[in-house]
Amino acid sequence: MIKICSRELPVDIVFHPDWWHKNAGISFDEGFFYDPRRRVEDERKMEQVLYERFGSLGLGEDHLKNLPQIGAVHLASGYLLSEMLGCKVEYYDDAPPQVICAHRESLDFEVEDAFQSRAFRRLVGLVDELKAKYGYVVGDINWGGVLNLAIDVRGEEIFTDMVMEPEKAAVFFGKIAQVIDKFVWYVQTNTGSSSISVNRSARLFDYPVAIHSECSHTMISEEDYRRFFLSIDKEWSMRHAPYGIHYCGKDPHRMASAFSEIERLTFLDVGWGGDVALLRKYLPETFFNIRLNPVDIQRYSYEELRQCIRERVEASGGDLTRTGLCCVNMDKTVTDKRIFEIYEVAESLRNNDD
């Protein structure tokens, strides 16, 4: 399996929109996502704020560049594919876009309809405008995941469908997978990456990783995963290498045995509370991106922070080129001091300090 990271214990932080609204004055209205001028200006402003506050940590490295980013690479926010599949999206000044469930009555739809939607056409227009001005585009857009999108489109009824009409549900999931697959290839063909917007840690790797979001898999059993989704992950791991799974729930270890059957699972986002040691037993070669809980770590003393990070990194097996740390959606209450402390703990682990 390819080793995707030559760095030791890479670390990254993603701030919640309310942090950006407070500290950079950025509003996350529709224009932030689709106005080509603001795409460039707001992303550079975000880089500048990161550089001014945390430049010594390596953040804000692009603060001097006007990069034609097609998507919001500083946010953890999936919305566009849901809109392409018929959901409404509401925008806010200090929060990520909110997807409104479409409650689709039928499990049947045509894959190409998603690419004829106003949402996708608007993206294409943005890409074309940025290319016309800059000659190229970079970045990507959070593409979510099969079950995540199915819930957005169908609502909680999808779980009844999985029991009462499993064959139709499987076809429905397959069509959503086709939409995702085509979308990812469109983005990656234009920019060279697909998943910085899924997890910013992806930008730290030696190779661009495709990361499938499985946030909602905490709601299903391992048996359901094997029945409906494992085959998709297996196929994508061969076609989108290097391939990864984002599992932000507290129980990714429930799927450890099934994940071990994915031949090229190069990356795993390990949700806070996941049994890292058990996962490592099943996935000895996979890069583990260990997620820190953005609420809990603000309550910890420095020693508690140090201990919890050390324990989880040690449970990953000791190879710091196969282990990373991230904390996503740190809100406006987090102190700069706490950010520096997270990086300080990581550095002490790299140096093997007691």
Side-chain angles (χ1 to χ4, degrees):
M1 184 182 296
I2 190 172
K3 199 167 187 177
I4 58 173
C5 190
S6 57
R7 304 187 187 198
E8 287 196 339
L9 197 62
V11 182
D12 205 38
I13 299 292
V14 175
F15 292 104
H16 188 276
D18 69 5
W19 187 94
W20 290 110
H21 190 63
K22 174 186 176 184
N23 293 294
I26 292 175
S27 294
F28 296 92
D29 55 13
E30 227 169 327
F32 172 83
F33 296 92
Y34 292 107
D35 183 318
R37 176 186 57 83
R38 285 188 58 192
R39 276 285 67 244
V40 175
E41 291 180 358
D42 284 351
E43 293 290 339
R44 179 167 177 174
K45 183 187 295 185
M46 295 166 95
E47 288 285 323
Q48 183 64 37
V49 169
L50 289 178
Y51 180 77
E52 291 171 356
R53 300 173 81 115
F54 309 112
S56 62
L57 303 177
L59 301 182
E61 62 267 36
D62 291 327
H63 69 287
L64 296 178
K65 301 175 182 177
N66 287 321
L67 295 176
Q69 303 274 10
I70 69 169
V73 295
H74 288 92
L75 300 186
S77 177
Y79 60 95
L80 179 56
L81 274 88
S82 300
E83 189 174 14
M84 288 168 56
L85 290 167
C87 298
K88 292 183 179 179
V89 177
E90 295 180 350
Y91 297 87
Y92 304 92
D93 287 337
D94 61 353
Q98 178 66 44
V99 174
I100 309 302
C101 179
H103 293 291
R104 183 190 291 271
E105 294 185 3
S106 171
L107 292 175
D108 188 40
F109 73 97
E110 297 300 323
V111 170
E112 284 305 312
D113 288 350
F115 297 93
Q116 300 301 319
S117 66
R118 175 179 177 270
F120 184 72
R121 293 199 307 271
R122 187 160 57 165
L123 170 64
V124 172
L126 171 67
V127 171
D128 289 346
E129 286 191 58
L130 290 172
K131 276 188 173 182
K133 181 171 183 178
Y134 295 93
Y136 71 104
V137 287
V138 295
D140 46 61
I141 296 170
N142 191 321
W143 40 279
V146 176
L147 183 57
N148 292 7
L149 290 171
I151 294 172
D152 284 350
V153 172
R154 179 76 166 131
E156 63 186 19
E157 288 297 316
I158 191 60
F159 298 108
T160 303
D161 298 331
M162 290 165 66
V163 175
M164 303 301 294
E165 297 186 289
E167 293 81 10
K168 290 184 178 180
V171 172
F172 182 59
F173 294 140
K175 287 186 175 182
I176 291 176
Q178 290 178 54
V179 171
I180 292 174
D181 192 57
K182 183 173 180 177
F183 181 85
V184 169
W185 283 118
Y186 168 78
V187 170
Q188 191 159 329
T189 298
N190 277 284
T191 70
S193 70
S194 70
S195 299
I196 297 172
S197 294
V198 179
N199 190 307
R200 273 187 62 77
S201 296
R203 83 190 202 287
L204 303 175
F205 300 143
D206 302 336
Y207 305 93
V209 185
I211 305 174
H212 181 201
S213 295
E214 300 187 357
C215 319
S216 52
H217 285 211
T218 192
M219 304 168 70
I220 63 173
S221 66
E222 180 188 357
E223 180 182 356
D224 286 335
Y225 173 68
R226 288 180 176 278
R227 183 174 190 180
F228 294 104
F229 306 107
L230 177 57
S231 61
I232 295 172
D233 280 329
K234 285 182 175 180
E235 179 186 349
W236 282 356
S237 76
M238 304 302 288
R239 299 182 60 239
H240 293 282
Y243 182 71
I245 288 174
H246 159 83
Y247 193 115
C248 55
K250 64 182 180 180
D251 55 357
H253 49 272
R254 287 193 305 114
M255 306 298 182
S257 176
F259 286 161
S260 71
E261 296 176 20
I262 303 171
E263 185 175 343
R264 297 185 183 179
L265 184 60
T266 309
F267 171 99
L268 180 64
D269 230 353
V270 180
W272 182 253
D275 188 331
V276 178
L278 178 61
L279 285 161
R280 181 56 79 199
K281 176 182 176 182
Y282 280 93
L283 299 165
E285 301 299 319
T286 300
F287 183 97
F288 285 178
N289 191 59
I290 299 173
R291 299 173 69 88
L292 306 178
N293 186 309
V295 176
D296 287 352
I297 67 167
Q298 295 191 57
R299 298 197 295 256
Y300 290 156
S301 67
Y302 177 77
E303 285 305 316
E304 289 171 331
L305 175 71
R306 183 172 178 271
Q307 183 64 23
C308 80
I309 292 176
R310 178 177 290 274
E311 288 177 353
R312 293 178 73 74
V313 170
E314 289 177 350
S316 183
D319 183 351
L320 298 188
T321 62
R322 294 197 190 276
T323 306
L325 297 169
C326 76
C327 194
V328 178
N329 276 337
M330 301 291 283
D331 66 20
K332 62 184 179 181
T333 65
V334 70
T335 64
D336 289 6
K337 181 173 182 283
R338 178 68 0 143
I339 304 303
F340 278 98
E341 288 172 343
I342 293 170
Y343 279 79
E344 181 181 312
V345 172
E347 184 62 21
S348 71
L349 290 169
R350 294 186 199 106
N351 295 332
N352 200 26
D353 296 338
D354 291 332

